[in-house]
Amino acid sequence: MAKQKILIIEDERALQEVLSYNLEREGFEVSVAADGQDGIRKARSFEPDVILLDLMLPVIDGLEVCRQLRADVKTQRIRILMLTARSEEVDEIVGFNMGADDYVTKPFKIKPLIHRIKALLRREGVEKSSRDVVAVHGIQVDRVNHTATAQDELLDLTPTEFRLLWSLVRAPGRPFGRNELMDHCRGEDANALERTIDVHVRSLRQKLGLLGELIETVRGVGYRFRGESESKTTTPS
Ligand code: CA
């Protein structure tokens, strides 16, 4: 069996060394990046199973790294364990739903950290499937088969509209800024967003028919998918 791979994105040299030494001893294949940009690059080329991601990083900080990894189909499934310096930062990670799978607060002990990594690796098989299909308010999006339905009718979406819908439905009630949605939608196709995000939203709403109302405009921010708490019915009135 191939070794499981761990990418350490951490700028503190001493910590890099302690982590790689211990993880290699545990039988993992380890790669290290010392800043956010290099980290994203290595996440793409090294294809790790788990990333240990420091929050405070040079060039691109940890939250932004996390966001970019989650927005890219090539890296979005990688398990991310955040390393944070202060416990207050945890609120930020959890509150902003940046897509980290777990976190540890510095200073941490190596043994419990390794347990957390192994737990993440075990969890993966189970969670992958549930993470790939989202069904809310009569809309179902399947990321693996790349299909979306509204009240069981198959939708004919452009790749950008598909990614847009996927981003919104998986976090009902959470407002997304236009720039954030642009990042989510860009994917591999850099030319996909010559039109503004508003144009894509308008088109997506049209294709959703009556359910298009579920994509709400958040004044001064952007858009959100109607939250659970605000609508109990499947069909908007
Ligand atoms: Ca740091």
Side-chain angles (χ1 to χ4, degrees), residues 10-12 54-58 106:
E10 166 65 65
D11 57 323
E12 269 172 68
D54 184 29
L55 194 57
M56 307 297 276
L57 285 168
K106 291 180 190 174

Side-chain angles (χ1 to χ4, degrees), residues 186-199:
R186 215 180 306 269
E188 324 84 88
D189 184 2
N191 296 320
L193 287 178
E194 281 169 355
R195 300 187 294 167
T196 66
I197 205 77
D198 303 282
V199 176

